[in-house]
Amino acid sequence: MCDRYQSAKEIYAKYGIDTDKVLQTIKSLPVSLHCWQGDDVTGFDHEGPLTGGIQTTGNYPGKARTPEELIADMEKVMALCPGTKKLNVHACYAIFEKGEFVDRDKLEPKHFAKWVELAKKYKTGIDFNPTFFSHDKVKDGLTLSSPDKATRDFWIEHGKACIRISQYFAKETGFPCVMNIWTGDGFKDIPADRLGPRERYKDSIEQILSEPFDKNLVKPCVESKVFGIGVEAYTVGSAEFSLSFAAMHDGCLPLMDNGHYHPTEVVSDKIPALLAFFPEIALHITRPIRWDSDHVVLFDDETKEMAKEIVRCNALDRVYMALDYFDASINRVSAWSVGFRSWQKALLLAMLTPNAQLKQLQDENNLTKLMIESEAVKTLPFGDVWNKYCEIENVPTDSELYGEIAKYEQKILSERK
Ligand code: RNT
Ligand code: ZN
């Protein structure tokens, strides 16, 4: 039988690429797996609807209803995907003892002990997100930028509690915790004051960051956005606001979500722009269709391009990569797995690209050869290396994936009525 991996390895070797080495490297790169795909961004601390200008659509059966179900589904996803998974948890996923409840301003590390247990089981880290939505203290669509001081103070306390929890995660797991600040604060229609909310937002985030923490352990980020549902006219945490905030506050990272820009803007081009200034940056990887629709990440052109930029900028240790999407219209374990696997494919493809040679052609201004070589690279036997990656990581290949998911659906998910 012809060994397809062996043959692919020889072909890539001609381009100076050592596929064995690539497979060793890729499997150790942490990518954050977002807990919120499993239950449509519901969480465990409230009954109300999802707010904040984001929306999950679809009602495919089998949604996780309890921490046990969510964790079981997440473990299934981890078993279906190659690579290193870091956990990504939102504050609304606090796990309380029976009968216990505290509001978000009073959250403590102990409410996340089960997540630490899960992380330790997989020898991995945890990223964290204060939850500034789906809560009755969101006043008139505003949180940290509200004109009402009591509202701001509540959410500032929440942010500070989350810094303490992030530090606890980092200390317990031994991996830094990326803590992302995103709010849906904004207005549906044209505001009379665009500066006031931004000044209040700035002050509130500064107050959150005044909570003491170790910069090597906690990596606070600010995530920008262009608009949300019901807040179409004005977003407080716009691109310019968030980028400027991160640039002006030592230790604070900018976080780009590729669903949060105008449709002809691409995050792949923004990655090297930011890398020229920031020691570290963070990403939310999603798939927008016409807007921030949070479709499942696929192995599509822009996904490949983003991975390519991280790899060829030599920035795998400077970019925190996290998935962020939520599809409720298909099997959620499948949505989760396909997205994670697609990003793994994009990283693998980027690492199997002769980036140094292509760059040299650009620098020599041999753009004719650059185009021809770039096109040639597209038909190299990537799939054979991907299959080998699945094999060494002991996970299903693409053609085996559906069967595994169907089995889990039949045995576990279909019991959830
Ligand atoms: C929303 C942002 C944000 C959320 C998560 C749940 O548009 O992308 O990151 O998706 O915090
Ligand atoms: Zn996001």
Side-chain angles (χ1 to χ4, degrees):
M1 197 184 83
C2 122
D3 181 344
R4 297 182 61 135
Y5 175 68
Q6 192 55 36
S7 138
K9 183 178 149 94
E10 285 162 20
I11 294 170
Y12 280 108
K14 289 192 195 127
Y15 287 85
I17 296 163
D18 180 343
T19 52
D20 289 344
K21 223 157 119 194
V22 165
L23 291 175
Q24 280 310 311
T25 308
I26 190 174
K27 67 181 192 174
S28 66
L29 300 173
V31 175
S32 292
L33 184 65
H34 55 315
C35 74
W36 51 95
Q37 165 59 58
D39 71 341
D40 313 340
V41 208
T42 306
F44 310 129
D45 76 342
H46 66 96
E47 302 272 276
L50 176 60
T51 67
I54 53 178
Q55 197 164 51
T56 345
T57 54
N59 55 359
Y60 197 86
K63 166 177 165 170
R65 300 160 301 182
T66 61
E68 292 71 30
E69 288 181 355
L70 188 75
I71 288 173
D73 291 357
M74 213 165 169
E75 291 196 79
K76 182 69 197 171
V77 174
M78 292 197 256
L80 294 174
C81 299
T84 299
K85 299 101 196 167
K86 197 177 184 191
L87 310 180
N88 202 353
V89 177
H90 241 286
C92 62
Y93 289 79
I95 300 177
F96 299 116
E97 296 291 330
K98 226 183 163 61
E100 184 194 16
F101 175 77
V102 299
D103 212 342
R104 291 193 191 157
D105 58 333
K106 302 269 168 4
L107 284 170
E108 290 176 53
K110 67 174 183 193
H111 302 122
F112 296 88
K114 288 236 166 60
W115 289 107
V116 168
E117 213 176 280
L118 182 67
K120 284 185 175 166
K121 181 171 167 190
Y122 290 89
K123 298 189 175 47
T124 192
I126 310 179
D127 288 338
F128 198 46
N129 309 261
T131 311
F132 297 103
F133 52 83
S134 303
H135 192 281
D136 57 11
K137 291 224 161 55
V138 179
K139 191 166 186 275
D140 306 325
L142 303 174
T143 61
L144 293 174
S145 71
S146 169
D148 176 48
K149 185 169 182 313
T151 299
R152 285 199 310 280
D153 286 347
F154 174 83
W155 291 109
I156 291 166
E157 284 311 309
H158 175 52
K160 290 182 171 182
C162 288
I163 297 244
R164 296 190 288 270
I165 295 161
S166 298
Q167 178 130 321
Y168 152 77
F169 283 155
K171 282 196 172 147
E172 287 290 322
T173 65
F175 296 94
C177 173
V178 175
M179 192 196 96
N180 177 43
I181 297 176
W182 171 76
T183 72
D185 289 22
F187 289 105
K188 178 185 173 76
D189 225 322
I190 302 151
D193 175 16
R194 289 187 159 90
L195 180 58
R198 287 186 175 133
E199 284 177 336
R200 291 190 290 268
Y201 197 35
K202 174 171 176 269
D203 178 69
S204 295
I205 306 175
E206 282 169 350
Q207 288 195 52
I208 292 174
L209 300 185
S210 75
E211 179 70 22
F213 64 93
D214 179 338
K215 283 187 184 148
N216 295 312
L217 299 184
V218 180
K219 309 278 178 177
C221 307
V222 279
E223 178 180 12
S224 70
K225 191 158 177 173
V226 60
F227 80 96
I229 301 180
V231 278
E232 287 86 359
Y234 168 82
T235 297
V236 183
S238 62
E240 293 74 14
F241 174 90
S242 304
L243 204 48
S244 308
F245 187 95
M248 304 287 283
H249 294 80
D250 193 33
C252 183
L253 281 57
L255 186 147
M256 295 189 291
D257 179 313
N258 65 302
H260 291 190
Y261 296 87
H262 293 285
T264 57
E265 287 183 80
V266 280
V267 164
S268 52
D269 185 60
K270 298 176 192 294
I271 291 168
L274 265 51
L275 287 174
F277 295 92
F278 290 93
E280 296 183 312
I281 64 169
L283 290 182
H284 271 182
I285 303 153
T286 183
R287 181 166 53 104
I289 296 194
R290 305 191 193 286
W291 69 288
D292 181 33
S293 56
D294 285 299
H295 282 67
V296 177
V297 173
L298 299 179
F299 187 44
D300 61 15
D301 284 351
E302 174 55 8
T303 305
K304 291 176 194 167
E305 209 57 30
M306 288 193 290
K308 222 198 268 174
E309 284 302 338
I310 300 169
V311 169
R312 65 189 181 189
C313 293
N314 220 350
L316 282 165
D317 56 351
R318 295 172 58 198
V319 180
Y320 294 99
M321 305 177 283
L323 299 174
D324 178 21
Y325 56 81
F326 21 96
D327 191 337
S329 72
I330 57 172
N331 178 307
R332 291 170 186 78
V333 170
S334 166
W336 237 336
S337 310
V338 169
F340 193 92
R341 289 167 65 101
S342 298
W343 183 246
Q344 291 288 315
K345 283 182 190 163
L347 286 172
L348 182 62
L349 183 73
M351 295 164 82
L352 293 175
T353 301
N355 295 308
Q357 286 99 306
L358 297 176
K359 178 174 176 291
Q360 198 183 336
L361 292 172
Q362 173 178 317
D363 290 346
E364 290 165 357
N365 200 35
N366 194 344
L367 303 183
T368 305
K369 191 165 181 204
L370 175 59
M371 183 185 279
I372 291 175
E373 293 299 331
S374 302
E375 287 302 291
V377 166
K378 290 183 182 169
T379 52
L380 292 181
F382 164 78
D384 296 330
V385 185
W386 168 252
N387 285 340
K388 183 73 178 179
Y389 185 29
C390 292
E391 184 193 314
I392 61 177
E393 284 284 272
N394 203 15
V395 301
T397 58
D398 287 354
S399 54
E400 293 161 346
L401 186 62
Y402 180 75
E404 287 296 315
I405 285 170
K407 244 192 282 169
Y408 189 74
E409 174 165 320
Q410 203 189 15
K411 206 166 135 219
I412 309 286
L413 303 180
S414 66
E415 299 295 316
R416 298 177 191 164
K417 299 286 186 233

